[in-house]
Amino acid sequence: MQALKNIKIGVFISLVNILIQGVSVMVQNLIANNLGIVKFGSFGILQSDFTIFSALADFGMATLILAYFGKRATQGRLFINVLQLRLFMTAITALAMGIFAFTVRRGSAVFEAELVLVLGLLFQHSYFDWYFICGNFWKKLLISKVLHTLSYTTIMGIALWCFKVDSLPAIALSMVIAALPAFGFGVGQAFTLKIFSIGVHTFQFFKLLFKSSCPYAISSIASFAYLPAGLYTVAHFATPEFLGAYSFSHKLVILASGLMVHFISSSLITLHQTDSRVLSLRDQVVFTLFIIGATAPFWLLPQYTLRIIFFAAPWTSEALDTSCFCLRILACSLILQATRMGMISTLLKEKRTWLYGAMITIGGIVNIAVCIGGARILKADYIPALTLTGDLCLSLFLLVYFIKNHRLR
């Protein structure tokens, strides 16, 4: 059954990334302990900004490369052109992030740290993940993650545990330094001096890929109008204390959501091996039940989940109750994401990217409008529920499309 194959590949990719994510959770604990609940909310805004600019640097290229080229993207002239394009996009986005910091974040608590993370865009530890996944180089992907895990553990541990670093710029700099070993490993595996061979064909390839990746980029960027929109809404309309508590539940759901992205990659890999136009409803149910079971502690035992995951956080009873309340609601997003995973993978495999881009953009616009409009007239407690509006709309859009076109069986 295709669903089981998707789950197997997705579980492997997820487990590989759990190596670094597990250490990241440990580091988040130290950061929360050093910063305190309120300043941890500012750290959440900083990380969200960085994630958005990382998506801009990718510009949908990773998904496009996997969906269109697969293993061919790791070979010959195509590989060189892909690498050239990704380096170009990263440099442009780093410049844009610097401008954003000076124009929007100047004077805020995250300004200096935001400037430091401009370097983080240039030296991301996961920069070459696309190469390992497209080429099915699973062992190299594992080595890269283990290397980053060791580096991240050592450098962040020294900074946060030994030196008790409690400023956002210093924490950001430590994160950048920790990414260098894995980035260097990727350079050793996937870098070639042939990228300096630039000709007319290079710009033709850029033009072609930009045109093709636009819907992927729109989809990727529009995704930040979903869960992250809630974080920014809380930052603008709620108290710093509520933002701090909300950040813990938001971070946990974002972590789980990020792991689910790897199941889309695994689904694309298996879909390339099949020629079915009809999506199995049974497969969707199996995967959704799998996600429900995996995330059950989020709404059944949120207090224990938060205390275990963020064991070093300086919890107060009020902050913990608020975070539990938010986690129960935000976790519903994971179920909605699970219901549409197969439908999204199918659309991407069939290159119906503009259609998907339109759906996710409309859903994102609705979500932002509901979050901002609702936050103006309702209490902050309602913002987590308002944040699910976009997820619900997108899932309904996809379901209606597949039913209308008789694509479910």
Side-chain angles (χ1 to χ4, degrees):
M1 186 165 54
Q2 183 171 306
L4 295 179
K5 192 171 184 179
N6 289 349
I7 290 174
K8 286 180 181 179
I9 298 176
V11 165
F12 174 80
I13 299 175
S14 295
L15 287 176
V16 168
N17 281 272
I18 282 175
L19 282 172
I20 182 58
Q21 296 294 353
V23 172
S24 178
V25 169
M26 298 290 290
V27 171
Q28 296 284 334
N29 273 277
L30 294 176
I31 292 174
N33 184 65
N34 289 8
L35 294 179
I37 297 291
V38 174
K39 287 182 68 177
F40 189 73
S42 297
F43 180 73
I45 295 295
L46 176 66
Q47 280 197 311
S48 185
D49 285 352
F50 179 76
T51 304
I52 291 174
F53 279 100
S54 295
L56 286 172
D58 179 76
F59 204 71
M61 295 295 177
T63 305
L64 174 71
I65 293 165
L66 178 60
Y68 276 36
F69 305 121
K71 194 168 186 176
R72 289 183 295 134
T74 64
Q75 302 166 350
R77 187 69 211 182
L78 178 59
F79 162 66
I80 296 172
N81 287 337
V82 168
L83 191 55
Q84 288 172 328
L85 181 57
R86 290 185 64 81
L87 290 172
F88 172 76
M89 283 301 303
T90 300
I92 293 297
T93 307
L95 178 61
M97 185 174 181
I99 295 173
F100 173 82
F102 276 105
T103 56
V104 177
R105 295 302 185 196
R106 188 167 189 143
S108 71
V110 301
F111 171 60
E112 293 85 359
E114 193 113 5
L115 290 178
V116 173
L117 286 186
V118 170
L119 293 175
L121 275 180
L122 300 174
F123 304 107
Q124 294 184 64
H125 73 90
S126 59
Y127 190 85
F128 293 97
D129 281 7
W130 65 272
Y131 174 79
F132 298 135
I133 293 174
C134 284
N136 295 332
F137 302 136
W138 306 118
K139 290 183 179 179
K140 292 181 178 179
L141 178 63
L142 180 60
I143 291 172
S144 174
K145 296 305 177 184
V146 170
L147 182 62
H148 183 57
T149 300
L150 295 174
S151 171
Y152 197 68
T153 303
T154 302
I155 293 173
M156 297 304 293
I158 292 173
L160 296 168
W161 180 263
C162 298
F163 292 102
K164 304 296 182 182
V165 170
D166 61 356
S167 71
L168 291 178
I171 291 173
L173 180 60
S174 300
M175 294 169 68
V176 173
I177 295 173
L180 293 179
F183 178 81
F185 175 77
V187 169
Q189 296 297 316
F191 186 78
T192 173
L193 292 176
K194 292 182 180 180
I195 65 166
F196 297 109
S197 174
I198 301 174
V200 176
H201 59 279
T202 303
F203 297 103
Q204 290 175 339
F205 181 80
F206 280 19
K207 181 179 179 181
L208 174 64
L209 263 290
F210 273 121
K211 181 179 179 180
S212 300
S213 67
C214 273
Y216 289 92
I218 291 172
S219 302
S220 178
I221 296 168
S223 67
F224 292 100
Y226 289 74
L227 286 173
L231 180 67
Y232 289 114
T233 303
V234 169
H236 187 75
F237 290 99
T239 64
E241 290 76 16
F242 189 91
L243 172 61
Y246 183 92
S247 293
F248 287 98
S249 56
H250 171 82
K251 198 173 293 293
L252 194 53
V253 173
I254 287 291
L255 171 63
S257 181
L259 293 176
M260 287 183 62
V261 170
H262 303 300
F263 286 96
I264 294 181
S265 298
S266 69
S267 183
L268 279 170
I269 291 171
T270 55
L271 282 171
H272 271 296
Q273 302 169 4
T274 65
D275 192 31
S276 176
R277 280 183 43 81
V278 181
L279 200 61
S280 171
L281 186 59
R282 182 179 62 175
D283 285 350
Q284 302 310 299
V285 172
V286 168
F287 183 73
T288 302
L289 291 175
F290 169 74
I291 295 299
I292 290 175
T295 60
F298 286 13
W299 49 77
L300 295 178
L301 301 167
Q303 186 175 44
Y304 292 103
T305 301
L306 286 165
R307 280 194 173 276
I308 291 172
I309 300 298
F310 298 105
F311 58 88
W315 291 111
T316 64
S317 59
E318 183 180 358
L320 184 59
D321 289 344
T322 300
S323 195
C324 288
F325 170 77
C326 295
L327 180 58
R328 279 196 175 101
I329 298 174
L330 294 178
C332 296
S333 170
L334 300 173
I335 305 304
L336 292 170
Q337 291 179 52
T339 61
R340 60 180 184 258
M341 187 277 296
M343 293 182 280
I344 292 174
S345 301
T346 300
L347 289 181
L348 294 179
K349 189 253 183 178
E350 295 176 352
K351 301 179 177 58
R352 298 180 185 273
T353 50
W354 282 111
L355 174 62
Y356 175 60
M359 288 182 180
I360 194 172
T361 300
I362 294 172
I365 292 172
V366 171
N367 197 57
I368 292 174
V370 170
C371 284
I372 295 176
R376 291 182 183 277
I377 60 176
L378 299 172
K379 294 180 180 179
D381 292 348
Y382 289 93
I383 295 178
L386 297 175
T387 305
L388 298 177
T389 305
D391 272 312
L392 182 59
C393 287
L394 180 57
S395 295
L396 289 176
F397 291 160
L398 287 164
L399 184 62
V400 169
Y401 171 80
F402 274 80
I403 291 176
K404 183 178 179 181
N405 289 277
H406 308 289
R407 301 290 302 276
L408 290 173
R409 61 174 170 81

